[in-house]
Amino acid sequence: VSAGATTTTTTPAAGVLGERGPEALSWALVRNDAHAVRALLEAGVDARRPCDAARGTVPLVYATLYARDCVDVLKEHGADVAAAEAQLAVALGPRRADPSRLHVGPSSPRAGVS
């Protein structure tokens, strides 16, 4: 690299998927594919960036509705729980939006409950 030149470092997903990363993540979530979700997140897809640019739907909303196996994976990678709770409250109404659905795991009272 010559003097004054800058280099850009990108993660594989950011370089390969670019702006399509959130779309790939949404497809993996709708399919409830925890392995693909983890691979995309570890490759650099942002767990906080909306999957649906038009609506601004954050990945944790998709996981809550379609991919319960992926909730903890998203949270491990910095998913925005507050944004998901707010979006679910608007979409489902305050009585139907159950925030405990966002807290699935071994320590959760809902763990193992179908």
Side-chain angles (χ1 to χ4, degrees), residues 56 58 60-61 80-94 97-99 102:
V58 295
L60 197 50
V61 169
D80 191 342
V81 174
E85 287 175 342
Q87 288 179 2
L88 287 167
V90 169
L92 302 175
D98 181 2
L102 298 172

Side-chain angles (χ1 to χ4, degrees), residues 70-82:
C70 301
V71 169
D72 286 335
V73 175
L74 286 167
K75 288 171 46 182
E76 290 168 13
H77 287 85
D80 191 342
V81 174

Side-chain angles (χ1 to χ4, degrees), residues 1-9:
V1 178
S2 63
T6 59
T7 59
T8 303
T9 304

Side-chain angles (χ1 to χ4, degrees), residues 9 14-15 19 21 32 37 45-46 51 54-55 58 67 70 81 86 95:
T9 304
E19 294 298 312
N32 196 19
V37 168
V45 174
D46 188 353
C51 289
R55 293 186 187 110
V58 295
C70 301
V81 174
R95 289 190 223 192

Side-chain angles (χ1 to χ4, degrees), residues 17-66:
L17 297 174
E19 294 298 312
R20 306 294 302 257
E23 181 181 354
L25 183 58
S26 70
W27 279 103
L29 289 166
V30 169
R31 292 178 49 139
N32 196 19
D33 187 342
H35 295 293
V37 168
R38 185 174 298 281
L40 287 164
L41 294 170
E42 289 176 356
V45 174
D46 188 353
R48 298 176 64 91
R49 185 170 173 202
C51 289
D52 179 348
R55 293 186 187 110
T57 307
V58 295
L60 197 50
V61 169
Y62 280 90
T64 302
L65 297 175
Y66 306 112

